[in-house]
Structures are given as structure tokens and as C-alpha cells.
Amino acid sequence: MEKKNKKLIKQNNVLIRILSKDSVRLLILFALLIFTVISGKFPYVNLIANHYFYGIGVAMVLALLFFKQYFNERRNKIILICEIAIAVVVKIMGNQQVEDIVGFILFVTLLLIVILGIASQRSKLALYLKK
Amino acid sequence: MKKQTFIHLLIIASIGLLPLLWFTSGTLILGHDAGLPFDPMTHFLDRLYVWTQRFGMGSDQSSALLGAVFIHGIEALLNLLPISLQMQQKIQFVFWFTLPGITMYIFTSKIWPEKKYLPVVASVIYMLNYYLLQGWFIAERTKFSTYAALPLAMYFILFYLQKKMKLLPAVLGAGLTLSILNGAGSFPLYGGLLIAIGISYLFILLLSPNIKTLLRIFYLSVGVGVVYVILNAYWLFPYFSYVTSFYGRDLAMAGGPDGVLNWASYLTLHTTFLNLFFGQGVPDWYLNKFHAYSGIVLSNSLFSFFSGLLLLFLSISLVVKKSTKDNFYILLFWIITFVAIIFSAGPSSPFGFIYEFCVRYVPGFAMFRSSYYKFNYAMWFGFSVLIAFSLDHILTWIHKTKNTKILIIVCMLLLTGYLGYHYTVMTGGFFDYNREPNHQLSNRITVPQYVFDFGKWVNTQNVDTRYLILPDINDSGYISYKWGYWSLATINSLQNRSSFIQNNSLIPERERKEIKQMSQALLNGEIDSFLDYVSLFGVDKIVLQNDVDWDNASWISTNPENYRNIIEGSKIFKKEREFGKWAVYSIEGSKKLRVSASPSVNYLEGSLRDIVSFKDFDATVPLYIAGESAEKDLYYLNQSSNKYISADCIECDGIETGFKFEFYNPKILPNSPLYFLVREKEDKVEKSANDFESKVNFYLTTSDRRAIEIKWMKDTGEKSAIPETIHRYKNSLSALENLISKGGSPSDYEKNNSTFQAVNGHLQKQQELLGSLGDDKEFIEVSEMLNKLIKTTDGLKFITRQLNQKRFIINAPIEDVYKIYVNHPGNDSQPDVQSPVLTVDGASQLFVGQEGRWSNFGEVALSKGQHKIELTESTIKNLVTERVTFPFGEGGINSSNNIYTFTSDSIGKCIAFHIPDQSITTDQSYLISFAYRNNNGPLTLLAFVSPDKNLSSPHILDTKLKSSSDWSSFTYLVTPAVKNTTFNICNPNLEGEKASKTRAIAEISQVKVERITYPSILLFKKRDVSVLADIKTAYRKLDPVTYSISTSGSTGPASIAMREYYGKNWSLCDEKEICSPPNDKSHFASAGYANGWYFEDGLSRLVTLRFQSQGLYVKGAFLSIAGYIISVMILIIWKKRIKS
């Protein structure tokens, strides 16, 4: 039993160690994105082929969780401004498919910022309501 | 008033004056869906009754914006002033343009009194944006109403939930706001409002999740709900009564949840997240290629850049430093915006499953079928505040630098930039909603004075006079005049209180067809038929409008001149008045038949066109048409004096009725390990199939599936399971063959016909499918089985493809001896008939004689049930002459023994077949047919070319011939839009296709054009009621919902008809005020549309007809008036208390 527990702990340690590496996390994200975007090649990919938006959404949420420490206020602003700039360019180009993806990414980005805002400000906001 | 507030209001008011720029000299905003009245006072007064005559023969307007009292009240009030209609429109447009700005200003200045710029910026954005501008092209006051209500309602709700306001003023404030600005009682418009309020509740609950918050939300919701119901009781009571009866029917008419989702998907195809973030995505911008301004906004980079700026300012609100209060509101508005975006984008967006779930499972949600228009204003509510917050931040920062010049320059730049971005608002160009060259349409029109003169004159006439408007309109339902008016709504529905009938799209489909037939009868010179229609529909006069845009290709109808010639050439019509291009004719000898009574009632199985002009048909006697319910059918069959039974012609037009066969992806194929699921499901269905119909349906469906599976497996190369599937396929076909050989229901010919037709059609499709797989041996046996079955079902169908040999099925309701007649089309003087031959159940009927257009075939004894009738007409002939020409040259086209051959050199060439000038008319249908042989794929297309068009190349109809190596027949039904005397069969030069010597050669022969006729066959049984005395009536229409009728009385059977649309809430009350209950069998739809009552025990001398829903309206109105008075009094007292 003890031996088994030790093995488990060891396995967990390996997993945590692997996951703690940014490069591995990044790899996971890319793998997920590639998996979602490829369509029509394999039957299991086909299942989500028409719903790759959700894959992108999940990847974005994972990215936020994996690299939270890198997202400071300044970087957030830069990311947002970049996305808006890209959106304007895409809008001028007028490619509907690209527009759809950029619009969705923008939507999720803004949504994440709002959700994080609520999560971080919740106690203050609750206090404001109680006044 | 503070100086700052004054300046803000001045800016809002200045922008609010923009509508003054929209009116050029003498123009008015009318048409499309605007619903702006020509006579506002009449229109307003009509809204005070639940029943209206505005739409044809009357309609229940419980569900039709009865709550628009405030909207139309403003119009009526302005109408009382001694100013022009244009000035009235200017004033009300300024009011509606400014109102959202004012309500937003109140909201934002209450929340952020400390912010100097936010309220005015939010107001300007809220009153001027592309969402609202799209509504402005039809001056959508109902939308503006809820749009303006949103900020005010949110103010009361948020302030109460934050404990900044007491319950009573919050409830009264929100209730009054939502009641006065009630969207005219159109619930779908509440979509955005519900999102904003619902999200506010959830957000506050999330931050303060306790029972107190929940209770506050509960008190507020119940309070506002109660106030809303009381203040809107006048329209809510009848509306509720309507919805409980008709919601299911209305949803079904919209195609059920799938229909709603399809429509929403179509509409929101371009309503993507990105477009919405850019403040775009308006469905009309993308669906209307000739939209007034979308072309520039979407394609001009400067506009894209400016809309990008909106997105930038929107996002800035998230990232700038804020106080806790600011954070509370900004986060709340962002969530409102997100949810509004998700719902506006409809079912096609990545979050579309939420909308789809709501449509499918939330009762009543289907009313939000135009998702963008119903939800998007909540997004603009969020956008306005969020963008204003960011701009306020920037402007305050500049303000703090104390550089006033820069501040003023930035403010001016922002304002002019914003106005420039919405440039079309400066000129009213958005009213010109279709800029297609030569087909421009606008809602900004100049109305000829005679239209108003006519309206005034009609409103001084007897209100129960009914007018027939001519000419008839196109099936599209579009009403268009040469002077620019275009809409689905008739002009008369916007300026008169009398009844005007026309085949427009605002009346039920069946009546629409019958009114069209009435007009056609006049046009064909069938005056006796027309006069019967006149009696049936209670028409008193004719209005001929000579300014109709009848020759526009998009809504082509009949030349008014044709009607004028017939009307003025007949002695029974007399011109009574003329107003410019409109003329009013009276009909000599027509009785006033709005209300009539009779000692008998007639019974009809069939439609009105089958009995009009029949000599033994009295159109003034109430007529029960079978089909209301089995119980009622039997009752009126027994009570009726005259019985008319008409026969159904089986595919009279020679075109085979369509059936549904769709090639689909079977998903699980026979070689799949999951295929047992398919087998299990099929076994289950087979066991539950007990009757002939369901068994046939089962074997047909499974054989379809087998064919599709085989095709799918062959195409994907997974052939291992094909032999086994073929074996099972053959089993299905054998079972089907056995079943069919036993025949269907012994006497239900109609059902059998449709069953055998469906089987035949499906099997042909299966054969086509297998044929495309090649000539492998394995398919030959199946193909033979299919061939045999197709031939068997061909023989079982009671249908002929010969236009002069028509087949009918007639249903004798009781065993009896009937007189049998055949009615032929044609005018009175020249009945289009020569010695027709008639057989009933195979036995010939003796032709007794001709009575006008009716051929008398004596009597026939029929048992109860269905019988087969065959009619041979000798007058149907091929209209094509022997003369052929070649409009684009003869090269490559050979002819021999009346077979025309298109060789590979004939590309771009046509053969023109000629029809004598007098033989073809625009109001008739014709069947074009020819035999063809065509070896290698689609080749020949069919085109109509008018000789005067002088086209340089064939004008191609989208009709391709299928590939067929054997001689096949091609049929095409056409109702010529213009009087063509030639039609061409062409070998067109298809776009993008290179001329090639390998192109197929097609052969054409037996070219025919035959006129389609729809003769009626009528069984007639008469019961003598001459001993019963006539019942005389005199009536007065007291108001739109009450008729007072005095009769000569009767103690025997009596029927009475009131010729306004049948409504179950119309009831007949006697002298003691005892009224017939709704859904009583005594109340029926006379002639299929009017209110009829039949009483076995007689009729009292004085009766009253009442539309009972009006009682609910009156009670509701009293409650609402009392509610308004009490609410205002409470608010005044509360205000005084606060002051003291």
C-alpha cells in the first residue's frame, strides 16, 4: 500500500513538474488549438469540427489560467488594443470567416476581463451595495 | 436649472431637431411598415375598439397593437391643430427622436451627477445610432417607445435595489414608464428590456446573495407587474383572451420552433460578434443589396475606422481606473452588453445554442424571432453608457489640463465626427430604402391630393358601405402606386373606417384567393359570377384605382384599364364619383347585404368558385361550408335546404403534386458496429405499423434508406455490406409490392391516390439514385423490381396527364339522387364548351342541355362515400402554330418530321414557337409540354421571349432538362406576366462554359401549349322551403362592435348572416339580452368567412350582435384610467411629503 502511495505521489510530482513548465503549457495550448482547427481528417476531430469556436474559447480560458502571472494591467491593455487593431484591419479586409474568429476572440477576451473584474472586486462591490 | 444641465439639454434638443431636415417640399413619410396614418384622428378612434374594419371584412385587433393609444393619441392630438400633415409628422418625429436622449440623460445624470460629460455623451449616442436609424426608415414608434422606456425603468429598478429609493415610488415610476411607453403592447419589443432588468437582478443577487435582496427583487417585480397590468388592462385583457386561444396557431403559422430558428438564422447571417462590436450587423444592410446607405458604411475604410473607434472607446471603459461605484455600473453594463450581443446574434453565433434552447423550450420565447431587432437595443443601452464613460474620462483629463481650446476642439471633433458617421441622418436619405436603378423605393413621398379627398369623402359616407378595390394585386401582396407609395398595408387601412376589400396579404389566404377570383370573374366578363360574389361578400361599391404601379416586373398585376373597359362597358355599373385617378362605381341592383336573414340555410362541400353563377344558388342565403367540425357538418347537412357538393379535380393543371424525398446522410451505415441501433429502431416502427397507410409509409421509408445507404457505401468505397443491404432492400420492396397488390382503402380514393402517388414518386427517385451508380449486375434485379412497382402504382393512380380528360373524386355525404352539373370557364355569351362527356363511376351520364356556362347532366343516384368522375372536354387544344422561327439564327438546328435537333453548333440558338395573338392572356395558366431526348447532361433551357423585347441573346428561365437517353416528357406551368405570343426553346450559352464539340445533342418534338381549365362539377340536392315565409331585416351599426337588428321575426327555422369576418367572440343576443355562447353550433362561418347563425326555433324581432371582447376592453379601460389617476395622486402626495 505504502509503495503504491509513493508511486502515486511520484507520478503526481512528475505531472506537476511537467505542467509547471511554461513551454509544456504552451505546447498543450497549441496542441488544443491545432486539434480544434483541423477538421475532416479524423473521425474524432469531426465531432468538434463544426464547433472549433468552443475549442478556441477553452484554449483562451486555459491560457489565462496557465499564464495568469504574466497578465498584468499594462499587458492586458496592450493585448486588448492589439485585438482591436486587428479587428479593424480584418473588418476593412472583409473576410467573413476571419471576422467570425476575431469577433469571437474579442468577445471572449472582453468577457474574461469582465469576469476577472467581478471576481477581484466582488467584496468591494458587495460592500458598495450594502451602503 | 444648472448651467451645465441647460447646455446639455440644449445639445440634446439641437440634435433632436434633425428630423426637420428630412422633409423636402410637400413630402410625407408613409408606406412600407411605417403604419403612419393618412388620417390620424380616424386611425386613433379605430384603436378604441377591439374590432376593426380596416383590414378587409373586419378583424380582431386584440393582438394588433391595441396598446398604441399613446402613440396614436399623440398623432390624433396633433391632428386637432390647424397645421399640415407634414408639420404634424415633423413635430412627432422630433418628439420621438429626442425622447430616448432625454430618458438616457435622466438615467445617467441620476447615477453620475458628478460627471460633467457622461450624461450628454450617453444621450447623444443613445438617440443616434445605426440600430435606431434602421427603425427610423419606417418611423417605428413602437420600438422607440420601449427604447426610450429602458433607461427610465432601469433608473427606478437600480435605485430601489441599491436602497436609494423607496419601494412605492420605484414601483409606480417603473410601472408608469413601462405603461406609457409600452411599445404599443407589442411584447416582442420587450426583449432588450427583459435582458437589462434580468441581468441587473442577477448581478445584484451575485454580489449580495441573501434573502433580503431576493425579497427586494420579488417585491419590486410583483409591484411593477401589478401596476403594469392595471395601467395596461385596457389592451392586456383582450390580448390575454386572444393569446390563450391563438398562440399555438400563430406559432404553427410561423413554422413551429424550426420555422422560427430558420428565420432567425436567415436574418442574423451577418449579425456576427465583430459586426455587433462595431455597432453594425443590421440584417437589412446585408439582405438588401440596394440599401440606402449600408454600401458606403460597410465598404468605406473611413467608416470601418470610425466604427473601430467606437469599439476602442467601449473597451477603454474596462481598463481605466475606476471607483467602486463606477466599477459596479461598468461591469453591470458590460454583462448586459454581452447577453444582448449573444441574443441579438441569434442561433448562428457560437453561443447560438442558448437562443435555440430558449426558442425550443421557453414558452412564448418564439415571439423573439427577429432576434436582432428585439434584443439589440439593450446592447446600445450598454454601449451608450460605456462609451460615454470612456469619453468622459478622456474629456475630464483634458479638462484638468485647463486647456479649454483643446477641450472645445476635441468636443467639436467628436460631435461632428459622430454626426458625419451617421451622415444619412442629416438628409433623411435612409428613407430611400431601395436604390436599385429604375426600381427606387422610398417612404418619403408626395401624396396626390385626390387620395386625401377620397379619404375625406369616404369618411362622410355610411360606415357600413363596403368597397371592392380594383385592380387586384400581385400574389406577393405588395401594394404600389405610381406616385411612390409601397407597402403591404392598403392606403384605406390608414385613412378610413369603412370596409375595403382587396386580395391583399393582410387577410386570410383563403379569402385572398376568393377575392382574387371575384376580380377575375369581372375581368373575364363572368358578370353573373361576379354578382354572386358581390352578394356573398356584401360589396356595395367599386373603387377603381388607375394610378396603381401594375406593370412593375416585381409585382406585376392587372392593367386598371382592362377593368375600366369592362366596368364602363356594362350597364350595371354607374360611375358615382371621381377623385383624380380614382373612380367610385355603384353596382346597380345590388342589395345592401351587410346583414340578411333567411328561413333556410344552404350547405356546401367545396369552394365558392364552384357554385357562383349556378342558377339554383341564392347568394343572399347564409351558406354553411363543410369542414368546421364533423358534428357541425352533420348538423348543417341535415338542416340545410340546398346542398351543393363539388368534386375535387385531380391535378387539373397537369403538374404532378410534389412529394418529399430528401437525399440525406445516413450517418450510421450497415458496416458500422452501431448499425444495430438502426435495425432496432426499424423493427420497433414495423411492429407499431398496423394500418395500410403506416405500413406503406414504413416500407417506403426503409426502402428509401436502403437506396441511400447503397449509394453512400458505393460513393465512399465501403462496399463490403452492399450485397446484404441489397438483400434487405429487395425484402422491403417485396413487402411493399405485396401490400400494394391488396390495394388501399376500398372507398377512400383520395387517400389511395395520394398514397400511390407518393410511392410512385419515391420509387422513381430511388431508381434515379441507383441508376447513377452504373450498370452493375447487382443493381439490375433491384431496378427491375422498381420498374414493376412503378408501373403498378402508375396504374393505380386515378390521374390523367391529358389536359382534356380530367378526373375528379366527389364525396356524396348521404345516399341520395343528385342533379349533376358541370361549369365551364369563359364569358357569359360564349361558354367555352362543346359536348363534354361525363362518366360517374365508369357509367356515362346523359347530357341534358346547356344552361349558360353550366352543362346539365341530369340526375345520378349515389351511395354515401367517394365516387370517381371523368370529364372529357373537346375544346382544349394545342395553341402552337406550325410556324417556327429562329430569333438568333438557324445554324446548328435541324428539323425533320416535326423533330427539332440541337446539334453541337447550336449554342446560343433558339427555336421560337408561335401562338396566335388572341389565344393567350395574362390571367390564365398554360401548360407547356414537349418530348425530348438528351444524352449528356443538362442542355436545353426554356425561355419566354416577348417579340417586342428584341433581346440579343436568350433570356433564360431557370429550368434545365434532365439527362434522358429515352424520349421523356417535360411540362412547365406558366402564367404569362406579359402577353407573349412566342416562346423559345434554346440551347443556351451557359455562363463560364466553353463551347465544345462534345456538347450533347438534344431532340425536341410534340411541342404543345395548352390552356389550363378548372371546370367545376357540382352535385345539387334541393329541399323545397317555399312554404316558409321570408324574414325581413333592418339594421343599424351602432359602433364597430355592435349591430342592432330588427327582423320580421320567425317561429320556424331561421338563419342570419352578418358579413364581417367570422369571430367566435361575435354573439347574437335577443331582446332579453340572452346571448349565444361562443363555440355554439348555431354560430358558423357563413360562406367560409362571415358570421352566420342558424336557429331551429326561430328568431326574435329585435336582436343585437356584439363583439364580446369589447366588454373586456371597456372593463380594462376603466381599470387603467383609475390606475393612472391613483398612481399620479400617490406620486404627488409622496413628492409633497418629501418636500415637507
Side-chain angles (χ1 to χ4, degrees), chain B residues 43 116 289 307 379 425 453 539 689 695 894 980 1020 1082:
Chain B
H43 200 62
K116 203 173 174 183
K289 277 193 283 181
S307 45
M379 184 194 89
V425 80
D453 293 342
V539 172
K695 276 182 184 169
N894 303 328
N980 292 298
F1020 173 55
S1082 63

Side-chain angles (χ1 to χ4, degrees), chain B residues 82 96 508 519 693 724 763 974 979 982 1027 1058 1066 1120:
Chain B
W96 286 115
S519 314
E693 297 295 319
E724 199 252 332
L763 295 178
V974 66
K979 202 172 170 183
T982 62
V1027 286
M1058 187 276 282
W1066 275 105
S1120 298

Side-chain angles (χ1 to χ4, degrees), chain B residues 457-458 461 465-469 498-501 541 543 584:
Chain B
W457 174 77
V458 168
Q461 302 297 298
T465 301
R466 178 166 291 156
Y467 303 84
L468 169 69
I469 305 179
S498 302
S499 168
F500 287 81
I501 63 168
K541 286 171 187 176
V543 179
V584 182

Side-chain angles (χ1 to χ4, degrees), chain B residues 180-247:
Chain B
I180 295 170
L181 301 171
N182 63 358
S186 170
F187 279 122
L189 289 173
Y190 285 55
L193 203 77
L194 291 175
I195 283 181
I197 295 173
I199 294 300
S200 305
Y201 284 176
L202 289 174
F203 188 63
I204 286 169
L205 258 178
L206 177 83
L207 297 177
S208 177
N210 55 49
I211 195 78
K212 275 188 184 171
T213 314
L214 205 63
L215 278 175
R216 287 182 84 79
I217 289 173
F218 176 74
Y219 293 145
L220 181 72
S221 305
V222 171
V224 174
V226 168
V227 173
Y228 182 83
V229 169
I230 291 172
L231 299 186
N232 288 285
Y234 66 98
W235 66 268
L236 268 180
F237 286 3
Y239 182 82
F240 184 72
S241 159
Y242 172 87
V243 165
T244 49
S245 309
F246 299 112
Y247 176 72

